[in-house]
């Protein structure tokens, strides 16, 4: 970091400078894939590593707030425990400081000290394919995304909600077509809004109205709905752009371009899926398109 050795982990001050109170010394032998913090400020690190500062560890460790190894974390340190035998791909800390860990094709829960929590469902083979993301709802239920098709033998196409004990929440379904998969493609990321609604992103999804999209918002209640968030497959590239902007999934269309003051600065009709923006000054613009009677607005940046 700015010429200073960082040993695969570093802590920055709020202004971006290096926090020298965090000392990692020789650090990790292999890269980190996930990081989380418990309520006491201690730092959980997961990945494929086998050593930290020369000490043998196993894919999941806890650091004290100053970067030193926390030897009270029982699952990963030498004779205290053998740890996981596979890469830790992600984790999240619950309000009680218990830790949900993505490892191989399973989700394991640890107690706050790193010991195995046997109250979390461990029966079955877990997921049949990879798990990419895990998020917690305010009520403690667990949202899981990835490329899987089932969980412990139950249908769970790419997105599933688990109860606090690790069992499948069968109420997590679409209101239009109950008991059918919510998505039909890989989930790349999940975010939960302050109002409890769930944002998912991926390569493409099949919504309840059979429209393809790469981002969707779901209600976080018992049943799911797409009705409050409309996003279609039309997108601009490149963005930012210098000379031309192009479009995906669009034929001929009429357009209006507005600056940030709301002034119409360019308009016309495109017959080749592109608009020449050479005449525009550098800045942020709103593009309004009329595609077969459907009005679509997109923001872009002119470099």
């Amino acid at each position: 970091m700015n010429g200073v050795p960082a040993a695969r982990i570093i802590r920055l001050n709020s202004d971006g400078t290096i926090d020298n109170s965090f000392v990692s010394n020789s650090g990790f032998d292999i890269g980190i894939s996930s990081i989380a913090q418990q309520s006491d400020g201690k730092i959980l690190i997961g990945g494929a590593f086998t050593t930290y500062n020369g000490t043998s560890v196993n894919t999941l460790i806890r650091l004290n707030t100053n970067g030193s190894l926390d030897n009270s974390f029982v699952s990963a340190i030498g004779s205290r425990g053998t740890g996981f035998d596979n890469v830790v791909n992600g984790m999240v800390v619950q309000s009680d400081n218990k830790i949900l860990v993505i490892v191989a094709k399973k989700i394991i829960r640890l107690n706050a000290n790193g010991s195995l929590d046997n109250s979390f469902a461990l029966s079955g083979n877990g997921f049949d394919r990879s798990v990419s993301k895990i998020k917690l709802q305010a009520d403690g239920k667990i949202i899981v995304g990835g490329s899987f098709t089932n969980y412990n033998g139950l249908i769970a196409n790419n997105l599933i909600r688990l109860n606090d004990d690790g069992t499948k929440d069968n109420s997590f379904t679409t209101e239009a077509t109950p008991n059918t998969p919510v998505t039909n493609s890989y989930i790349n990321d999940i975010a939960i809004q302050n109002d409890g609604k769930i944002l998912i992103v991926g390569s493409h999804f099949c919504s309840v109205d059979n429209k393809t999209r790469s981002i969707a918002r779901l209600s976080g209640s018992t049943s799911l709905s797409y009705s409050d968030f409309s996003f279609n497959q039309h997108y601009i590239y490149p963005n930012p752009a210098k000379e031309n902007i192009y479009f995906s999934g669009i034929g001929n269309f009429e357009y209006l371009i507005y600056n940030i003051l709301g002034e119409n600065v360019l308009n016309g009709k495109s017959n080749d899926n592109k608009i020449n923006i050479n005449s525009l000054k550098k800045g942020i613009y709103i593009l309004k398109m009329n595609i077969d009677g459907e009005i679509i607005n997109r923001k872009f940046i002119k470099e």
Side-chain angles (χ1 to χ4, degrees), residues 22-39:
F22 186 84
V23 181
S24 57
N25 294 317
S26 61
F28 297 94
D29 60 329
I30 304 176
I32 295 167
S33 60
S34 56
I35 187 167
Q37 192 171 38
Q38 292 181 295
S39 60

Side-chain angles (χ1 to χ4, degrees), residues 278-290:
N278 266 330
S279 63
L280 299 180
K281 297 178 181 179
K282 292 182 179 180
I284 299 173
Y285 294 89
I286 301 297
L287 170 65
K288 183 177 181 179
M289 296 175 285
N290 186 332

Side-chain angles (χ1 to χ4, degrees), residues 155-175:
I155 295 174
N157 276 24
N158 309 302
L159 186 68
I160 188 175
R161 185 165 66 189
L162 304 180
N163 298 307
D164 181 68
D165 62 357
T167 57
K168 181 184 177 183
D169 178 5
N170 290 310
S171 71
F172 192 71
T173 184
T174 63
E175 49 190 28

